[in-house]
Amino acid sequence: MSARPKKSFGQHFLHEKRYIDSIVSAISPRDGDTVIEIGPGEGALTLPLLTVARRMTAVELDTDLIPALQARADKIGELHIVHQDVLKVDFTRMAAEMGAPRLRIAGNLPYYISSPILFHCLDHSGVIEDMHFMLQKEVVDRMAADPGSKVYGRLSVMLQLACRVESLFVVPPGAFRPPPKVDSAVVRLVPLPAEKLPTVAPQAIDRVVKAAFGMRRKTLSNTLKGLVGEAGIIDCGIDPRARAETLSPAQFVALAETYARQRG
Ligand code: SAM
């Protein structure tokens, strides 16, 4: 069973056992966990996960892969395969229908839509215990970056305001068939509890963050002109001559609160 990988579905099948083992042990599924895998493909992660979790659900878009995967999984445990675009899956409803308090989501993601998948999952973070994703290393570096880093940007701020982000390990191209052109990395995301989430509307945060990073080299007084005036920036205890890449996620929240207040 070895389907020809489809580029249009972002298919790079993981075959190196040591990386498969490392991912499964990073997830550490427990019997009774509600594990949901995005893009099971030929089952490189699904089958070892199923061996421990006994029951799990996988969301796969490519019909051609489903019968063989189902047949192999049936020998191990109970695998429910949902044939759908993961961006259309309502995880909140899925959790309610399964009677699961929290979902544990995992996947070696199709890189062509990895950011939309991340943000889609975050829309359902209230029902998610944790997420373990394989992504392009460059994306994981941006997700986990600290202020001051060259790669700290909009993705770092928006994710870190919603989750604890932990970059776990790098996986080289040779671990996949066919090998992707870039290094990959595995990241763990743990959604923050409701009381730690910003209370200001996410749209206000996104607006300010987008504007601030729109021109990275310019000062905040320049990039936020028309959104938060210089006085508003100073009120937040921030130097208007500072640049976006030096601000912590919490400082962006303060700016977004000022922006939302000024708009009334
Ligand atoms: N998990 C397998 C592995 O590690 O070998 C396959 C990983 S491959 C990088 C990505 C998988 O996501 C493929 O099986 C692909 O068909 C599936 N996929 C692509 N787009 C998808 C989508 N929108 N929704 C669900 N699955 C998708």
Side-chain angles (χ1 to χ4, degrees):
M1 97 134 212
S2 220
R4 196 194 171 90
K6 297 185 183 119
K7 221 174 161 179
S8 59
F9 285 119
Q11 291 176 354
H12 294 277
F13 299 125
L14 194 56
H15 65 75
E16 254 197 59
K17 188 173 175 312
R18 69 183 154 131
Y19 294 111
I20 295 173
D21 290 347
S22 301
I23 295 172
V24 174
S25 84
I27 300 171
S28 245
R30 300 162 297 241
D31 187 3
D33 279 354
T34 309
V35 179
I36 313 287
E37 187 187 356
I38 298 173
E42 297 183 327
L45 298 173
T46 326
L47 303 177
L49 286 172
L50 189 60
T51 305
V52 189
R54 312 301 307 158
R55 300 172 67 201
M56 62 181 272
T57 297
V59 183
E60 175 57 64
L61 185 60
D62 184 358
T63 333
D64 294 347
L65 297 173
I66 294 178
L69 175 61
Q70 188 73 67
R72 289 179 78 193
D74 287 348
K75 295 187 189 122
I76 299 174
E78 211 180 299
L79 175 67
H80 174 54
I81 305 179
V82 178
H83 175 218
Q84 207 175 2
D85 175 354
V86 67
L87 297 178
K88 301 215 169 92
V89 173
D90 181 339
F91 287 114
T92 306
R93 200 162 111 197
M94 187 183 259
E97 283 171 0
M98 291 172 139
R102 286 274 190 279
L103 307 177
R104 303 196 65 201
I105 302 188
N108 168 13
L109 297 186
Y111 295 166
Y112 73 105
I113 46 163
S114 58
S115 290
I117 294 176
L118 282 175
F119 285 101
H120 177 67
C121 290
L122 287 185
D123 284 344
H124 298 275
S125 60
V127 296
I128 298 177
E129 180 178 331
D130 57 21
M131 296 168 261
H132 291 82
F133 292 137
M134 172 102 73
L135 295 159
Q136 294 176 28
K137 177 180 177 296
E138 174 260 324
V139 176
V140 171
D141 288 346
R142 286 197 281 128
M143 289 162 70
D146 290 324
S149 145
K150 253 196 203 142
V151 293
Y152 180 71
R154 192 171 159 212
L155 186 66
S156 336
V157 175
M158 297 312 283
L159 272 178
Q160 291 172 26
L161 285 173
C163 300
R164 180 163 61 79
V165 181
E166 213 180 322
S167 168
L168 298 181
F169 51 89
V170 175
V171 182
F176 303 85
R177 181 182 62 86
K181 291 198 174 72
V182 291
D183 274 338
S184 302
V186 176
V187 66
R188 175 184 291 137
L189 302 169
V190 182
L192 299 177
E195 66 275 12
K196 293 224 168 136
L197 295 176
T199 49
V200 61
Q203 294 84 341
I205 304 177
D206 195 42
R207 188 83 212 276
V208 168
V209 172
K210 207 170 174 177
F213 282 107
M215 292 171 286
R216 287 183 77 92
R217 308 305 304 161
K218 299 226 160 148
T219 63
L220 294 172
S221 64
N222 247 303
T223 54
L224 297 185
K225 208 178 274 168
L227 292 182
V228 186
E230 206 161 301
I233 300 175
I234 294 168
D235 276 353
C236 295
I238 299 168
D239 182 348
R241 290 164 305 175
R243 289 194 299 251
E245 66 206 38
T246 64
L247 262 51
S248 69
Q251 287 178 307
F252 278 108
V253 172
L255 288 169
E257 282 165 350
T258 304
Y259 163 67
R261 221 175 19 249
Q262 286 180 356
R263 292 190 79 210

